[in-house]
Amino acid sequence: MEDAGIGWIAAIIIGGIAGWLAEMFMKSNMGVLMNIVLGIVGAAVANLLLGLIGVSLGGWIGYLIAGFIGACVLIAIARAIRR
């Protein structure tokens, strides 16, 4: 988050939006708090995975995209574990 120039309040807002978008895309049913957590943790996971292949996303839009991708990955992993 520090590299992207995003503060904690913005990370919570963008994380919530990214989590909500992932929730709508993956058709899961979670609450607002879980959307925020998924968005923030998803952004960290996605930045790690994208960094391994040499892709770097920066700024608010990059954080939103990374949060969306990461949250979708986390939802898919949770669904695979449940089954």
Side-chain angles (χ1 to χ4, degrees), residues 1-2 6-13 40:
M1 268 185 291
E2 296 296 328
I6 295 177
W8 284 103
I9 301 296
I12 291 170
I13 293 168
I40 293 172

Side-chain angles (χ1 to χ4, degrees), residues 7-67:
W8 284 103
I9 301 296
I12 291 170
I13 293 168
I14 295 170
I17 293 169
W20 177 77
L21 288 172
E23 179 185 48
M24 294 295 125
F25 182 75
M26 298 292 286
K27 294 180 178 43
S28 67
N29 193 12
M30 300 183 182
V32 174
L33 183 63
M34 193 60 174
N35 285 343
I36 294 170
V37 170
L38 277 174
I40 293 172
V41 174
V45 169
N47 280 327
L48 177 79
L49 294 175
L50 292 173
L52 292 175
I53 59 173
V55 177
S56 176
L57 300 174
W60 288 46
I61 300 297
Y63 190 79
L64 180 66
I65 292 168

